[in-house]
Amino acid sequence: MSIETIVVTREHELVEGFKVRRALPTARRRMVGPFIFLDQMGPEILRDGRGLDVAPHPHIGLATVTYLFAGELLHRDSLGVVQRILPGEVNWMTAGRGIAHSERTPQELRTAPGAPLFGIQSWVALPQSNEEDAPAFAHHDAGELPVSEGEGKRVRLIAGSLYGARSPARTLSEMFYADASLEAGARLELPNVCEERAAYVVSGSIELPGGEGPYEAGQLLVFRPGEAVTLKANERARLMLLGGEPLEGRRHIWWNFVSSSRERIEQAKEDWKEGRFARVPGETELIPLPESKPAPVVRYP
């Protein structure tokens, strides 16, 4: 069997009226390569003038990656960046030693009837040597991202290297992240390019050779290192392909903070509570620090 772990996600409410599915971290799997967080946002239809409003909140020690299938979001951060994100584009925000940002539905879409929102939010933990880098932001339009297609499949490379292509998104460790669409009956080989590899089923149903499956939307399939993996679509399907080399050392995660140091997370908590993070221009709200609790370890070397 080529699958090491299957994570079955469940819906929960991120904010009132908007549901997400969390694939990472979970009790069954904490990380895949440098990926330490993976949430499916929607699909939702935003009605009655409502939108998604994630007020300013902080990050350290990671890069956030926002990728949409449908809808729009407006990103603002403490560097002063204001950036719309559309389907097929990438917002890559490197928190480093600390950044704050918000993500909201643009105001003009709140009056549009039946505005959709559907996408994936992921976090990539940074190598220890880059955890205290200066924060940075990069945006890449859909046309900048490499696309390979044929034989009923289409793969857009979001980050890293895969299928002989490299994304322009700047990464700090070996990894890959791709959006794959398959027609019914199409087969897609997932190369053995990194020690840790996974596929998240966004929609449709897939199986593996030898009768493994079917695997449905909302499941994260983590593959055994070194195993040959070929994915077959039972119907039209969409997948997120992700993986990379394991990071050095352990990682702690608490709320929006990731670090190799538990003490650094405690410092970040105090910094946010005391207002020492830079503010997001144009924003007046803040998400308060949650009630304190220990930062769990999510990886051991």
Side-chain angles (χ1 to χ4, degrees):
M1 186 173 182
S2 58
I3 295 179
E4 180 179 280
T5 306
I6 302 173
V7 176
V8 180
T9 63
R10 292 178 172 83
E11 284 187 342
H12 69 276
E13 209 164 52
L14 175 65
V15 294
E16 185 181 356
F18 192 84
K19 296 181 177 65
V20 299
R21 288 180 173 271
R22 180 150 301 162
L24 293 173
T26 66
R28 293 189 61 81
R29 186 75 187 203
R30 295 297 186 178
M31 295 179 73
V32 175
F35 288 87
I36 198 168
F37 180 93
L38 190 75
D39 258 12
Q40 175 183 317
M41 308 179 291
E44 295 283 350
I45 300 296
L46 306 174
R47 301 183 185 278
D48 301 323
R50 301 176 66 181
L52 178 65
D53 285 297
V54 181
H57 56 281
H59 291 287
I60 66 165
L62 56 87
T64 67
V65 190
T66 304
Y67 186 81
L68 297 181
F69 307 123
E72 294 185 32
L73 284 173
L74 183 65
H75 163 99
R76 290 190 177 95
D77 65 37
S78 51
L79 298 175
V81 174
V82 179
Q83 176 65 58
R84 279 180 182 265
I85 180 168
L86 302 174
E89 300 180 344
V90 175
N91 271 13
W92 188 286
M93 185 184 75
T94 303
R97 59 177 174 258
I99 198 169
H101 77 132
S102 66
E103 287 187 311
R104 302 181 185 271
T105 300
Q107 189 60 41
E108 62 272 22
L109 294 185
R110 295 170 189 261
T111 59
L117 186 59
F118 187 19
I120 300 285
Q121 175 92 104
S122 57
W123 299 351
V124 175
L126 302 180
Q128 288 181 4
S129 60
N130 299 106
E131 287 183 322
E132 296 300 318
D133 283 1
F137 178 87
H139 175 85
H140 297 283
D141 292 336
E144 298 178 60
L145 303 178
V147 173
S148 59
E149 53 189 329
E151 300 180 327
K153 50 187 179 282
R154 187 174 193 271
V155 181
R156 173 179 280 122
L157 184 59
I158 300 167
S161 298
L162 195 65
Y163 302 121
R166 174 170 285 278
S167 165
R170 178 176 176 263
T171 62
L172 297 171
S173 62
E174 286 300 314
M175 58 169 288
F176 65 87
Y177 191 31
D179 169 17
S181 296
L182 306 180
E183 297 295 330
R187 294 174 179 267
L188 178 66
E189 180 185 352
L190 183 58
N192 189 24
V193 292
C194 295
E195 181 176 342
E196 298 187 354
R197 299 165 296 159
Y200 177 73
V201 185
V202 176
S203 62
S205 168
I206 64 168
E207 63 181 35
L208 278 72
E212 294 183 54
Y215 303 106
E216 311 288 344
Q219 293 185 310
L220 176 71
L221 314 178
V222 183
F223 303 108
R224 298 184 187 279
E227 291 281 343
V229 174
T230 300
L231 310 170
K232 179 186 175 183
N234 295 324
E235 57 187 301
R236 182 175 293 180
R238 193 164 198 171
L239 316 170
M240 300 301 287
L241 310 176
L242 61 143
E245 298 302 324
L247 294 180
E248 76 293 358
R250 66 181 69 184
R251 289 298 184 275
H252 307 272
I253 181 170
W254 188 91
W255 192 36
N256 301 313
F257 305 137
V258 170
S259 180
S260 58
S261 163
R262 194 182 296 271
E263 292 74 23
R264 181 65 181 89
I265 287 183
E266 292 302 314
Q267 178 189 328
K269 290 162 62 175
E270 189 67 18
D271 288 344
W272 184 247
K273 184 178 178 180
E274 297 300 322
R276 290 193 284 265
F277 274 78
R279 300 295 292 265
V280 179
E283 294 274 11
T284 57
E285 297 179 278
L286 293 175
I287 297 179
L289 191 76
E291 184 178 344
S292 185
K293 58 184 178 181
V297 176
V298 299
R299 176 183 291 285
Y300 285 92

